[in-house]
């Protein structure tokens, strides 16, 4: 579901770009905004109380944290905040490059939790656990998009050339 938010979001934003919305004039810019939407959705689960069962919640996320890491609850809140900051960084053109690289590092850091969740069969919202064969490619997709967005971002605003007659 979440990869579809990224993919369909990128296509939708790029379609707006094709219709003249300059903010989404390139695929990397459209992907940056789609990833921001995806991150707001995924980050929200880090703060949802355990009593909410229609979506992943904080308790689900805590169970994902490998047992060798201390303060699992605090780590879940921290990663949720980092995802929200990354989302904000992606939509601001001036911070897109560092946000993309920071998110790539975050996605690498979160990989052990995703592996643990798949191996330990951690369920989400009372549903079945996501299998490892699905989690790893999803994480690689997010990593690849974050790096692509970062590498495609410009650090300065281009100045229009003046044509002299």
């Amino acid at each position: 579901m979440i990869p579809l938010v990224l993919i369909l979001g990128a296509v939708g934003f790029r379609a707006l770009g094709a219709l003249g919305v300059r903010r989404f004039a390139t695929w990397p810019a459209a992907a940056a905004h789609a990833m921001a939407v995806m991150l707001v959705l995924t980050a929200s689960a880090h703060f949802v109380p355990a009593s909410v069962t229609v979506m992943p919640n904080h308790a689900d996320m805590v169970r994902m944290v490998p047992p060798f890491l201390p303060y699992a609850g605090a780590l879940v809140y921290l990663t949720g905040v980092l995802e929200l900051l990354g989302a904000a960084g992606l939509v601001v053109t001036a911070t897109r490059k560092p946000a993309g690289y920071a998110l790539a590092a975050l996605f690498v850091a979160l990989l052990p939790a995703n592996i643990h969740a798949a191996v330990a069969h951690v369920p989400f919202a009372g549903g079945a656990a996501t299998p490892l064969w699905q989690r790893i490619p999803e994480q690689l997709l997010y990593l690849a998009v974050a790096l692509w967005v970062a590498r495609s971002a410009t650090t300065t605003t281009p100045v229009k050339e003046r044509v002299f007659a």
Side-chain angles (χ1 to χ4, degrees), residues 78-123:
L78 174 65
T79 56
V81 168
L82 292 174
E83 287 181 13
L84 291 172
L85 289 172
L90 288 175
V91 298
V92 177
T93 307
T95 58
R96 189 168 295 152
K97 182 177 282 222
Y101 284 127
L103 284 166
L106 179 64
F107 294 141
V108 169
L110 293 176
L111 190 57
N114 282 290
I115 291 170
H116 170 72
V119 172
H121 304 290
V122 174

Side-chain angles (χ1 to χ4, degrees), residues 1 12-14 24 27 41 43 54 62 69 75 77 80 88 95 101 109 114-115 128 133 148 158 162:
M1 159 83 177
F13 284 128
R14 186 59 192 100
F24 310 122
W27 277 106
L41 292 174
V54 295
V62 168
L69 292 174
L75 286 173
Y77 286 129
T95 58
Y101 284 127
N114 282 290
I115 291 170
W133 64 264
W148 178 50
R162 293 184 181 200

